[in-house]
Amino acid sequence: MAGTTATQPRALLALSLPALLIGVGASLLLLGVSTVAEALQKAVWDRLPHALGIGGEPAWWTVLILVLAGVAVGLVVWKVPGHAGPDPATEGLVAPPMPAPVVPSLLLATVLTLAGGVSLGPENPITAVNVALAFALGRRFLPKVPGEAWVGLAAAGTIGALFGTPVAAALILSETMTGESGTPLWDRLFAPLVAAGAGALTTVVLAAPVLAVDVPGYPGFTLVDLVSGSVIALAACALGLVLVYAFPYVHAAFHRLPGPVAALVAGGAVLGVLGAIGGRITLFKGLSEMKTLTEHVSSHSTGGLLLIVVVKLAALLIAASCGFRGGRIFPSVFTGVAIGLLANRLVDAVPVSLAISAGVLGLLVAVTRQGWLSLFMAVTVVTDIKLLPLMCVVVLPPWLLAVGRPPMLVKED
C-alpha cells in the first residue's frame, strides 16, 4: 500500500524475546500480589474473627478493619520511601513510568488495599509497577530501544495477564498507541501482542481466571432488545457520570485533611460504614463478589439490589478519592453487573445477559472513557458472543452522552 513504511522483520524479532519475558514477568507479579493479598484477606476477615470468637460479621468489625486499612496504607504513603507513588486520582491505567525505587512502597500499599476490603482492583498499581520495572531494566540492558516501547510492552503484558487474553490489550492499545507515520498498526502492535499473549497464557496456566458470571445465554436478537439495552446502558452511564463529576470535589475534601494518614483513615471510616450498610458483597474488588451476587440474586429483594448498586458506587468514589492504591475497572464491572440484575428484576422480559452486558458497558464508558475496553468487558462478563453486534450499537447512546465530558481524573496543580 502506497505511503506505508514496511517494518523490518529483524526489528520485530529483536523485541520478541524481551516481550515474552516482560509478559511472563507481568503475570507472575500480578499473581504474586494477588496471592499475598488473598491470604491476608482470609486471615483478617475470616480466621481472625473466628479465633476471637466473633461471629456473624458484625458491622463494627467491618468498620474497624477498613479504618485499620486506612491507617496502614496512610503510614505507607507517609513514611515508607517512595510514598506508594503518585496520587492515584491523577493517573490513568497506563501512566508514564515512575522511578523504580517507588515500586516496593506501591506494592505494599496495594496489598493492604486489596486485603482490607477497599472497593478497588489491582489493575492500575500493578500496571504502574510493571511499567516502572520494564522501563528501568530495558533502558539499562537495551538502551537503544525507545523508552515508550518498554512502556507499551509492560502495559500490554499486564493487561493480558489481568484479563486472561491478549485481545483486551490489543483493543486498549489501539485507542492510544502512536508510532512512526505510515507504520501499519499491526506492526506497531506485534511486540505488545507477544507480551500480552505471554502474560495471558501465564495467568491462564497458573490461575485459570474466570471473569464471567453464570447466567442464561442470550436467546437471540429482537428489536425491543435494542431499546432496552440502550436504556440500561444510558442509565448506567448517567450513574457513572455522577461519579465523574463528584470525583474532584470529594478528592479535594479528603486532601484538605492534614496529611495522607488523616485522609485515608477518614476514607476507611466512610468505607467501613458503607460496607456495614451494604454487606460484605459490596467490599473488595468485586470479581468473586459479582459471581456470588448472580448465583444468589434470588435472595436479594429489588430494594436490596438497588442498595448494593448505590453503596458500591459510593464506595468506589470514596476509595478512589481518599488515596487508596487501586484501579477502578473491576469494581465498575461488579457495579455494572448489579445494575443489570436490577434492570432484569424491574423488567423480567429483558434477558439477564443483555441487561448485565448493557450495565457493564454503560458504566465503563463513563468511568474509563475507553470504548473497546467497555465493549470487551460487556461481552466477556456473560461469555456470549451473540451479544457483540448488539452491544456495538448499544454503545452509541452512552458514548454520545459521555463524549466531551471530563474523565474520572483529577488534574495536578
Side-chain angles (χ1 to χ4, degrees):
M1 182 175 177
T4 61
T5 302
T7 305
Q8 294 295 327
R10 184 178 298 176
L12 296 177
L13 184 61
L15 277 179
S16 295
L17 180 57
L20 285 169
L21 295 175
I22 288 172
V24 173
S27 175
L28 291 176
L29 190 142
L30 168 65
L31 294 176
V33 168
S34 299
T35 300
V36 173
E38 288 169 6
L40 182 58
Q41 174 187 323
K42 290 179 180 178
V44 170
W45 289 94
D46 298 323
R47 297 193 184 96
L48 182 57
H50 179 73
L52 296 175
I54 301 170
E57 295 186 1
W60 66 265
W61 183 260
T62 299
V63 176
L64 175 63
I65 295 303
L66 266 301
V67 169
L68 291 177
V71 172
V73 176
L75 288 174
V76 172
V77 175
W78 180 33
K79 288 294 188 181
V80 176
H83 307 288
D87 183 352
T90 65
E91 300 284 341
L93 179 60
V94 182
M98 61 186 182
V102 175
V103 165
S105 62
L106 180 54
L107 287 176
L108 178 57
T110 301
V111 168
L112 294 171
T113 295
L114 294 174
V118 179
S119 291
L120 293 172
E123 58 275 16
N124 285 53
I126 295 300
T127 303
V129 166
N130 283 328
V131 166
L133 294 176
F135 183 84
L137 294 172
R139 295 296 285 170
R140 178 174 181 178
F141 294 106
L142 292 172
K144 293 183 178 180
V145 176
E148 58 267 22
W150 301 117
V151 174
L153 293 178
T158 308
I159 295 168
L162 282 164
F163 299 110
T165 170
V167 174
L171 294 176
I172 293 172
L173 291 177
S174 69
E175 292 188 78
T176 59
M177 177 170 282
T178 60
E180 295 181 15
S181 177
T183 302
L185 177 61
W186 182 256
D187 284 353
R188 283 180 275 155
L189 285 175
F190 178 82
L193 273 177
V194 172
L201 284 172
T202 303
T203 300
V204 168
V205 169
L206 296 180
V210 179
L211 301 179
V213 295
D214 185 14
V215 294
Y218 181 54
F221 175 74
T222 61
L223 191 59
V224 71
D225 290 346
L226 189 59
V227 177
S228 56
S230 297
V231 170
I232 296 168
L234 270 172
C237 183
L239 289 172
L241 288 176
V242 171
L243 299 191
V244 169
Y245 278 101
F247 190 49
Y249 298 101
V250 178
H251 177 269
F254 277 113
H255 285 74
R256 280 195 290 268
L257 296 173
V261 176
L264 282 155
V265 168
V270 176
L271 290 173
V273 172
L274 288 170
I277 294 171
R280 190 160 175 173
I281 194 75
T282 60
L283 299 175
F284 309 105
K285 62 186 177 184
L287 287 188
S288 61
E289 288 74 21
M290 73 183 185
K291 298 171 189 177
T292 301
L293 182 61
T294 53
E295 290 171 3
H296 302 286
V297 65
S298 60
S299 64
H300 296 278
S301 65
T302 302
L305 289 173
L306 178 60
L307 180 65
I308 288 172
V309 170
V310 172
V311 167
K312 193 66 174 182
L313 285 171
L316 173 57
L317 175 61
I318 298 299
S321 300
C322 69
F324 282 108
R325 270 40 181 178
R328 301 184 278 274
I329 295 175
F330 287 158
S332 295
V333 172
F334 168 90
T335 312
V337 170
I339 291 171
L341 293 172
L342 175 61
N344 172 258
R345 177 68 60 81
L346 294 172
V347 184
D348 59 6
V350 179
V352 65
S353 55
L354 167 62
I356 288 175
S357 289
V360 171
L361 176 68
L363 193 58
L364 283 178
V365 163
V367 172
T368 71
R369 210 60 52 82
Q370 291 183 313
W372 282 125
L373 172 65
S374 303
L375 281 169
F376 171 80
M377 291 305 300
V379 175
T380 299
V381 78
V382 295
T383 60
D384 198 331
I385 197 66
K386 295 194 298 295
L387 279 164
L388 181 58
L390 178 58
M391 288 299 107
C392 286
V393 179
V394 168
V395 72
L396 296 178
W399 189 261
L400 291 173
L401 178 63
V403 70
R405 302 185 187 276
M408 195 171 176
L409 290 173
V410 174
K411 293 183 179 179
E412 293 183 284
D413 296 331

